[in-house]
Structure formats: C-alpha cells, structure tokens
Amino acid sequence: VQLQASGGGLVQDGGSLRLSCKASGGTFARYVMGWFRQTPGKERKFVASINWSGSTTTYADSVKGRFTISRDNAHATLYLQMNDLRPEDAALYFCAAALPPWQIQVVVTPSEYNWWGQGTLVTVSS
C-alpha cells in the first residue's frame, strides 16, 4: 500500500489543522492505521492509532482530548483532527499502516508498521 499524507501547515498557538492520509494499492480496510510525529534529531513518536473499522482508537497522553483519529474506508483515507495546537506539537507528521494479528486492534510501536507515508509538516507559532 502507498500512503500520501497532506494537510500540514503553519497555524497559531491554539489553532486547528486536519491531516489526511490517502491510501492506494491495497485494501485499506484491512490495515491498522497510525499517526506518528518526529522533530529533528529525535525519534519518531506515537500520536494515535485506529483499528480497521474505526471502533477502537488510542492516543498518546500528550494529545488526548485535543486530537482525534478517524478513517473513511470507503475513500481509503485516514484523518487526524488536531485542535488546541501548541508549539510542542510542531513536527513532521507521518501516517503508517500495519497488518498485525487479527486480535490486535491498535499499534503504538513504529517498528510494527510496515508502510509509511512521506510526512507532512506542522508548524505552530506562539
């Protein structure tokens, strides 16, 4: 599967953005999907994950209550709605797809994802 992330940009402290990740070349509904972010010199960090149907989600503590992950399987698209953005949320955001064993609903470890998008940059001005 190929993943194309978009929607990043410059936003003021407290503002909102919605990231999108369009999938192609695979059966999107089969995949557990996730969002990660990375800043220069740092490791890629987990942000959110969602199961194949969208019924189960999990979030990093730092974004709980502010970010919402969702998916539209009919349009093979993953979303990340980001509200109340803070300067510490600024990063390159990546979407990723995984095919874990059937009983695994969400995945938080980068190494367990098999496919990655190219990243979209989010900048938050204070």
Side-chain angles (χ1 to χ4, degrees):
V1 63
Q2 292 80 46
L3 303 173
Q4 180 75 36
S6 62
L10 172 64
V11 64
Q12 289 188 334
D13 191 351
S16 298
L17 279 176
R18 188 176 80 155
L19 305 184
S20 299
C21 176
K22 177 68 175 175
S24 60
T27 304
F28 182 70
R30 296 177 59 200
Y31 302 104
V32 170
M33 299 297 296
W35 287 100
F36 291 78
R37 63 188 183 188
Q38 189 171 21
T39 53
K42 300 290 183 64
E43 292 185 350
R44 199 164 292 188
K45 291 187 176 180
F46 171 74
V47 174
S49 180
I50 188 167
N51 74 332
W52 70 273
S53 69
S55 62
T56 301
T57 59
T58 192
Y59 298 89
D61 288 344
S62 58
V63 307
K64 277 181 185 175
R66 300 187 297 123
F67 290 12
T68 303
I69 188 172
S70 62
R71 66 191 297 162
D72 180 347
N73 287 344
H75 293 92
T77 304
L78 174 73
Y79 300 101
L80 185 69
Q81 177 66 43
M82 305 186 294
N83 298 329
D84 188 23
L85 281 161
R86 305 165 182 170
E88 55 264 37
D89 295 317
L92 190 60
Y93 281 73
F94 297 88
C95 56
L99 275 177
W102 66 270
Q103 66 270 31
I104 303 299
Q105 295 292 297
V106 291
V107 177
V108 303
T109 307
S111 62
E112 295 182 36
Y113 283 85
N114 305 96
W115 300 273
W116 292 84
Q118 84 290 0
T120 185
L121 185 63
V122 173
T123 305
V124 183
S125 63
S126 57

